[in-house]
């Protein structure tokens, strides 16, 4: 699913929309109106493949993994909002209603993925096509349905109410209630992902245009992530986290950290374009110069020093900077601070910023900006995609999820954590506990969709973390890389109520369409 595959997405969406059930207002209205071209579609392998391609259309949606879901990641103590914006500030301050333009479309768009998956699952089994294509397409549909429900459940469901479950079996119904508990969603997600794992090939079976499609390891990885969230309500799920992490490791696909015993380069290279399909990336947002994720440019300097249209929305905090251990190679690979030497559009320079709200910039996704803009960046600065894929699950997450599962069961996880530390150039530790695990997750995944905010919530640490203001460095001369600075409050302390803010508000329009209740307290 690389460069040429993305060109097919628009055609796939058109073809799929002509053959799926459409719905009033939005899919979250959940009221089917019928289909129009079933007699002409669902005939050939091409039809099935185009339908599967449509499952990935959200990769090029700014409101999804461009920056949409990152507004929730931005709620953590690792970053602040880089520009004045009332809607995103309301999300970060836990005063949002869900109607804000930054976050009001993601809920329905995940249900659109579910709608497409349901239609594939209902239509493809009866098609007279080869088993290899049939199984793969069905596997992609089960995977993407489970994947969509995973994010919906993580962000909008809890012990008081899950989110509506719509499958190929009940999608003709006119009303869908919220389940009594989010565990019902986790059960559905697990069933879908197990079916996906049964049907999907290993990533090693893909090549060329198919790279980036859902694969067996991705299904196992999301099973581990699902049980990680489920363990908040059922401690027995920690053993399941360990089990599914082992399935990734032992799948035969050769998953491994990028580790050549060169800490200064190894972690940074995980986020290089040439490693878009490395042994470390299990599932990622496929991107290129014309379609994909805008996240790297969203994190780049606002206005890009007049050289490219960076948006400058998410800036690392001093707290994140100070959290790294001395000698951790991940610090420089993750954060640029004033005076750091880096390459920008083919020229070596020292970092400074007149726009950063904290005196720092995320460095993880800067690889496309090293060479002239014409090589890896979209010439359209209003849709600044790049050739860099954005990771959603990396092998390091598999190691650290398993480590957490072992620690939570009273078992030793030193070997797993030390694999991650060794790549970062850090010494081994012994008797690792949850404090060590939390430290490694923060250092490893800062600025990624692995989502520290979600981690803090499930650990019960969010209230204390957010009761402290976020700080940064105020430089005397923001155009001088060597300028002195003072520490200042970049964002005030926030009031996080664990009984309310552990989930996000469902957009009011979707509540109205589906006639379901809002999350309590919002």
């Amino acid at each position: 699913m690389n460069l040429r595959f993305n060109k097919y997405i628009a055609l796939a969406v058109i073809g799929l929309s002509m053959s799926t059930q459409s719905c009033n207002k939005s899919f979250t209205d959940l009221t089917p109106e019928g289909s129009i071209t079933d007699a002409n579609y669902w005939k050939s392998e091409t039809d099935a493949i185009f339908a599967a391609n449509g499952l990935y259309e959200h990769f090029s949606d700014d409101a999804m993994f461009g920056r949409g879901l990152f507004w929730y990641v931005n709620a953590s103590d690792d970053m602040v909002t880089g520009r004045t914006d009332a809607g995103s500030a309301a999300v970060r301050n836990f005063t949002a209603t869900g109607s804000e333009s930054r976050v009001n479309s993601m809920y329905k768009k995940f249900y659109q993925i579910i709608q497409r998956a349901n239609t594939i699952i209902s239509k493809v089994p009866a098609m007279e096509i080869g088993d290899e294509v049939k199984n793969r397409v069905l596997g992609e549909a089960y995977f993407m349905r489970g994947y969509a429900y995973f994010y919906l459940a993580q962000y909008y469901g809890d012990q008081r109410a899950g989110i509506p479950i719509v499958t190929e079996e009940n999608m003709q119904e006119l009303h869908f209630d919220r389940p009594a508990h989010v565990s019902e969603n986790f059960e559905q997600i697990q069933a879908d992902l197990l079916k996906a794992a049964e049907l999907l090939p290993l990533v090693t079976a893909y090549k060329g245009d198919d790279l980036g499609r859902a694969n067996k390891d991705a299904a196992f990885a999301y099973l581990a992530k699902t049980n990680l969230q489920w363990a908040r309500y059922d401690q027995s799920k920690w053993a399941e986290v360990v089990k599914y992490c082992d399935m990734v490791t032992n799948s035969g696909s050769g998953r491994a950290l990028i580790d050549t015993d060169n800490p200064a380069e190894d972690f940074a290279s995980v986020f290089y374009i040439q490693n878009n399909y490395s042994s470390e990336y299990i599932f990622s947002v496929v991107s290129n110069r014309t379609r994909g994720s805008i996240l790297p440019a969203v994190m780049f300097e606002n206005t890009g020093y007049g050289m490219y249209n960076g948006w400058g929305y998410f800036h690392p905090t001093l707290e994140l900077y100070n959290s790294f251990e001395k000698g951790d190679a991940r610090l420089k690979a993750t954060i640029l601070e004033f005076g750091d030497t880096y390459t920008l559009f083919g020229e070596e320079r020292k970092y400074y910023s007149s726009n950063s709200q904290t005196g720092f910039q995320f460095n993880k996704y800067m690889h496309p900006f090293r060479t002239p803009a014409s090589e890896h960046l979209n010439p359209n600065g209003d849709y600044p995609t790049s050739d860099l894929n954005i990771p959603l699950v990396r092998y390091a997450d598999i190691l650290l999820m398993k480590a957490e599962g072992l620690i939570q069961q009273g078992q030793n996880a030193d070997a797993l954590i030390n694999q991650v530390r060794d790549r970062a150039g850090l010494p081994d530790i012994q008797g690792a506990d949850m404090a060590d695990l939390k430290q490694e997750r923060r250092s490893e995944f800062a600025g990624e969709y692995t989502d520290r905010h979600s981690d803090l919530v499930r650990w019960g640490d969010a209230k204390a973390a957010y009761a402290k203001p976020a700080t940064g460095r105020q430089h005397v001369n923001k155009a001088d890389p060597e300028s002195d600075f003072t520490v200042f409050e970049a964002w005030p302390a926030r009031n996080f109520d664990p009984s309310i803010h552990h989930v996000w508000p469902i957009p009011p329009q979707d509540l109205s369409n589906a006639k379901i209740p809002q999350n309590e307290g919002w």
Side-chain angles (χ1 to χ4, degrees):
M1 206 185 77
N2 57 19
L3 305 184
R4 283 192 287 158
F5 180 88
N6 278 327
K7 294 179 182 178
Y8 296 151
I9 288 180
L11 294 174
V13 173
I14 292 171
L16 187 57
S17 65
M18 291 174 62
S19 57
T20 58
Q21 295 174 332
S22 59
C23 303
N24 289 328
K25 302 174 187 174
S26 74
F27 183 60
T28 50
D29 182 22
L30 303 177
T31 306
E33 294 181 336
S35 59
I36 56 176
T37 63
D38 281 358
N40 300 319
Y41 203 74
W42 307 109
K43 300 294 185 182
S44 68
E45 288 189 354
T46 299
D47 291 344
I49 292 169
F50 268 31
N53 290 355
L55 296 168
Y56 302 89
E57 182 264 343
H58 67 288
F59 280 177
S60 60
D61 192 324
D62 293 359
M64 294 293 276
F65 290 102
R67 57 175 170 161
L69 288 166
F70 218 83
W71 296 114
Y72 291 162
V73 181
N74 183 54
S76 84
D77 52 353
D78 278 356
M79 64 191 80
V80 301
T81 307
R83 295 166 64 176
T84 302
D85 184 277
S88 56
V91 176
R92 193 167 196 279
N93 289 331
F94 309 109
T95 59
T97 66
S99 62
E100 292 78 11
S101 62
R102 297 302 189 199
V103 295
N104 68 3
S105 64
M106 298 177 297
Y107 181 89
K108 65 174 62 68
K109 287 180 178 181
F110 275 121
Y111 271 106
Q112 289 166 358
I113 297 170
I114 291 165
Q115 176 195 28
R116 292 171 181 173
N118 285 340
T119 304
I120 291 170
I121 292 168
S122 68
K123 300 293 184 182
V124 168
M127 294 179 70
E128 295 181 359
I129 58 176
D131 287 344
E132 182 177 345
V133 170
K134 178 181 285 190
N135 288 340
R136 192 194 75 195
V137 167
L138 285 169
E140 289 176 278
Y142 281 109
F143 173 84
M144 279 299 189
R145 190 169 74 179
Y147 156 97
Y149 275 125
F150 167 79
Y151 288 104
L152 287 167
Q154 174 177 272
Y155 291 129
Y156 303 109
D158 65 7
Q159 74 281 0
R160 298 169 299 184
I163 47 96
I165 298 174
V166 188
T167 71
E168 78 284 3
E169 295 179 347
N170 68 345
M171 65 182 184
Q172 300 286 351
E173 296 179 11
L174 300 181
H175 181 73
F176 302 87
D177 292 321
R178 300 189 67 177
H181 195 291
V182 73
S183 62
E184 294 183 46
N185 293 117
F186 292 140
E187 289 171 359
Q188 174 66 43
I189 295 164
Q190 182 159 279
D192 280 348
L193 293 175
L194 284 171
K195 186 67 173 177
E198 174 188 330
L199 294 168
L200 287 170
L202 291 173
V203 68
T204 51
Y206 292 139
K207 60 182 179 180
D209 296 344
D210 289 327
L211 286 170
R213 290 187 184 275
N215 59 76
K216 194 179 296 291
D217 287 354
F220 290 142
Y222 274 92
L223 280 162
K225 291 173 77 68
T226 297
N227 280 278
L228 192 76
Q229 295 292 333
W230 204 346
R232 294 163 60 182
Y233 310 103
D234 182 350
Q235 289 289 305
S236 72
K237 299 305 176 184
W238 288 117
E240 299 297 291
V241 173
V242 173
K243 178 176 75 174
Y244 290 120
C245 287
D246 281 344
M247 287 184 176
V248 174
T249 299
N250 300 324
S251 71
S253 61
R255 296 298 181 182
L257 299 180
I258 295 175
D259 188 353
T260 67
D261 294 326
N262 182 7
E265 179 69 8
D266 286 339
F267 182 76
S269 74
V270 172
F271 307 93
Y272 289 175
I273 292 165
Q274 61 264 33
N275 287 326
N276 276 345
Y277 301 105
S278 72
S279 62
E280 184 140 356
Y281 275 23
I282 293 172
F283 197 62
S284 59
V285 177
V286 175
S287 188
N288 62 52
R289 279 169 284 179
T290 58
R291 298 189 68 86
S293 176
I294 63 172
L295 188 65
V298 167
M299 289 186 164
F300 181 47
E301 171 78 4
N302 185 21
T303 73
Y305 306 100
M307 293 183 281
Y308 192 73
N309 189 24
W311 292 13
Y313 267 111
F314 306 113
H315 297 158
T317 61
L318 183 58
E319 285 69 35
L320 172 61
Y321 178 90
N322 287 336
S323 72
F324 286 87
E325 294 177 57
K326 184 178 180 180
D328 191 335
R330 293 173 294 195
L331 173 58
K332 291 299 183 183
T334 302
I335 298 175
L336 284 173
E337 63 177 311
F338 268 52
D340 277 351
T341 299
Y342 71 111
T343 302
L344 183 64
F345 298 127
E347 296 184 3
E348 189 175 278
R349 59 186 290 153
K350 290 189 175 182
Y351 174 73
Y352 66 88
S353 172
S354 61
N355 295 305
S356 174
Q357 301 296 309
T358 61
F360 300 105
Q361 180 187 299
F362 278 107
N363 192 29
K364 266 186 177 175
Y365 308 114
M366 284 290 288
H367 191 246
F369 298 92
R370 288 188 175 188
T371 54
S374 60
E375 291 192 19
H376 296 295
L377 297 170
N378 193 332
N380 179 6
D382 292 329
Y383 180 46
T385 58
S386 74
D387 288 344
L388 181 66
N389 289 357
I390 304 302
L392 298 179
V393 188
R394 295 194 284 114
Y395 188 63
D397 199 7
I398 299 301
L399 295 175
L400 293 180
M401 284 193 292
K402 180 180 178 181
E404 186 171 353
L406 291 175
I407 291 170
Q408 290 285 0
Q409 296 178 87
Q411 300 175 44
N412 186 283
D414 292 355
L416 296 160
I417 292 176
N418 286 334
Q419 281 189 62
V420 178
R421 290 177 60 83
D422 176 74
R423 197 255 295 274
L426 294 172
D428 287 354
I429 56 176
Q430 295 182 345
D433 58 16
M434 279 299 297
D436 297 308
L437 185 282
K438 292 174 182 180
Q439 169 69 34
E440 289 308 317
R441 286 191 68 85
R442 187 178 197 182
S443 300
E444 183 73 18
F445 302 120
E448 297 185 44
Y449 277 110
T450 302
D451 197 348
R452 174 167 169 80
H453 171 68
S454 180
D455 278 349
L456 290 173
V457 169
R458 65 185 180 82
W459 290 331
D461 294 343
K463 182 177 177 64
Y466 301 159
K468 303 172 185 176
T471 64
R473 292 174 176 175
Q474 183 73 42
H475 287 266
V476 175
N477 183 351
K478 292 186 176 182
D480 178 5
E482 310 301 334
S483 174
D484 290 335
F485 64 85
T486 56
V487 174
F488 78 110
E489 182 179 289
W491 201 281
R494 295 169 288 159
N495 180 25
F496 180 90
D497 184 341
S499 68
I500 299 173
H501 303 137
H502 61 290
V503 289
W504 295 100
I506 296 172
Q509 184 63 55
D510 296 314
L511 296 175
S512 177
N513 288 345
K515 298 178 177 59
I516 57 175
Q518 179 62 279
N519 285 320
E520 293 180 22
W522 283 101

